[in-house]
Amino acid sequence: MDDRIRAADANMIGAAAETLRGGGMVVFPTETVYGLGADARSDRAVAKIFETKGRPQFNPLIAHVADLAAAQKYGVLDPRAVTLAERFWPGPLTLVVKRRAGGGLSDLACAGLDTIALRAPAHPVAQALLRAFGGPLAAPSANLSGKLSPTTAADADAAMRGGAPFILDGGPCDVGLESTIIAADGDELRLLRPGGLPLEALRENVGAIASAGPIVAGERPQAPGALESHYAPDARLRLNAAAPEQGESWLGFGPDQILTETAPRRSLSPRGDLVEAAANLFASLRALDAAGADRIAVAPIPEKGLGRAINDRLRRAAAPRPSYDV
Ligand code: TXA
Ligand code: MG
């Protein structure tokens, strides 16, 4: 126990909401596991989550909302998804649905995908925090990448190794297992991750759910970071470039004086800040695409901290496109 851990009374929930409004992070209890939350509408706030978790990839995050009405602001829930949400929310069920255009969610939270994972948690502290904050919270489990998900505030504190300054203590988690994730973005419902809500209960309500598909590899949860369905720019990328060649656009990092005469140009972070660069990554690629770039030369990004995840994404975007992607 230390002073990062605060008993989740009304005052502390208010203070936590204030921290979130200021673009900060809060560890909070849900009925499944503790989450590391930040404003799901802010690329900058979400970049801090990835930095803190130390993930070498930008996996998409679950956007936590208070209820179905809030979920519908950010995602398009078809009748099956609505049936499941009405029956099981708030609770340990995450639904992956199409993103709503103009919904305002951070591109980084969705890792550039056109789908969004949504969940209304049942824990009263999570509910109170969501309502006090008044917006969606992107929140992965509050552990470092590759470690166990924490189910108490003290575990979360230890798991984050001091990386999370504000921890709301809501007692031990009832479920103790991550949420069940169902994809409802295509023709058939698919189980993406078994979790706290048994499949049998789901099937009773909506019938068939494909329990093993191409995206469930054995017992491992789907790792969308490994899928190639992430946003890739139309333009071709040339990485680790010192400068743009004739006809190339430029995606810079750090202070540089490169001025392309006619081709579009952006900087991930003029001051060389990796958190800022991560926050700007998807928006910059989209902007260069929109500006009509055919080829983009990308400055070297340091292979440390968030730079590893940025480089992972850039390498995927630069790799030859598989034919099914055409
Ligand atoms: O119980 C839970 O779900 C906890 C609590 C905090 O809510 N959260 C959690 O988040 O387990 P995380 O980030 O550790 O796991 C979320 C999973 C990841 O495997 C991610 O790949 C998947 O959800 N996911 C998120 N968005 C997705 C999307 N658009 N498509 C497919 N999978 C997605
Ligand atoms: Mg996790």
Side-chain angles (χ1 to χ4, degrees), residues 19-20 23-28 34-64 105-111 116 129-130 133 136-146 159-166 273-276 278-279 305-309:
T19 297
L20 293 168
M25 294 178 295
V26 170
V27 171
F28 65 99
Y34 274 72
L36 175 64
D39 189 341
R41 299 162 298 193
S42 163
D43 284 324
R44 195 65 207 255
V46 171
K48 288 183 198 164
I49 293 180
F50 285 109
E51 186 193 34
T52 305
K53 292 261 305 181
R55 260 186 190 166
Q57 292 181 339
F58 294 126
N59 283 345
L61 304 179
I62 297 172
H64 296 71
L105 283 185
S106 149
D107 245 350
L108 188 58
C110 306
I116 174 69
L129 181 64
L130 284 164
F133 174 54
L137 285 179
S141 48
N143 52 281
L144 299 186
S145 186
M160 302 304 309
R161 294 204 203 119
F166 198 132
D273 177 318
L274 287 168
V275 178
E276 181 176 55
L306 276 182
R308 289 183 299 141

Side-chain angles (χ1 to χ4, degrees), residues 32 60 62 64 96 115 117 119 140-141 178-179 181 192-193 222 224:
T32 59
I62 297 172
H64 296 71
V96 171
T115 53
R119 171 162 116 80
S141 48
E178 290 94 342
S179 61
I181 306 182
L192 298 187
R193 179 178 74 182
Q222 179 205 22

Side-chain angles (χ1 to χ4, degrees), residues 85-285:
E86 283 176 340
R87 173 68 183 78
F88 295 108
W89 280 359
L93 172 68
T94 295
L95 294 169
V96 171
V97 300
K98 290 273 178 237
R99 251 166 110 172
R100 188 175 291 287
L105 283 185
S106 149
D107 245 350
L108 188 58
C110 306
L113 295 170
D114 63 359
T115 53
I116 174 69
L118 290 160
R119 171 162 116 80
H123 197 292
V125 172
Q127 278 289 328
L129 181 64
L130 284 164
R131 288 175 199 280
F133 174 54
L137 285 179
S141 48
N143 52 281
L144 299 186
S145 186
K147 306 283 183 209
L148 280 182
S149 299
T151 55
T152 65
D155 278 358
D157 189 27
M160 302 304 309
R161 294 204 203 119
F166 198 132
I167 300 173
L168 277 178
D169 188 353
C173 303
D174 285 344
V175 177
L177 197 67
E178 290 94 342
S179 61
T180 299
I181 306 182
I182 300 288
D185 62 336
D187 290 340
E188 60 171 5
L189 297 174
R190 297 175 339 267
L191 175 69
L192 298 187
R193 179 178 74 182
L197 188 66
L199 204 50
E200 291 77 6
L202 289 160
R203 287 196 173 124
E204 268 169 33
N205 283 269
V206 284
I209 295 176
S211 61
I215 42 178
V216 180
E219 293 176 1
R220 291 172 58 80
Q222 179 205 22
L227 297 179
E228 298 305 330
S229 55
H230 283 217
Y231 179 76
D234 294 332
R236 303 207 59 83
L237 301 189
R238 184 168 67 85
L239 306 185
N240 295 314
E245 289 168 0
Q246 183 67 31
E248 282 182 331
S249 297
W250 177 243
L251 184 59
F253 176 82
D256 67 50
Q257 298 298 319
I258 293 168
L259 299 170
T260 45
E261 287 103 58
T262 50
R265 183 207 136 105
R266 304 272 292 202
S267 177
L268 289 173
S269 170
R271 61 195 160 90
D273 177 318
L274 287 168
V275 178
E276 181 176 55
N280 287 332
L281 179 62
F282 290 105
S284 300
L285 291 173

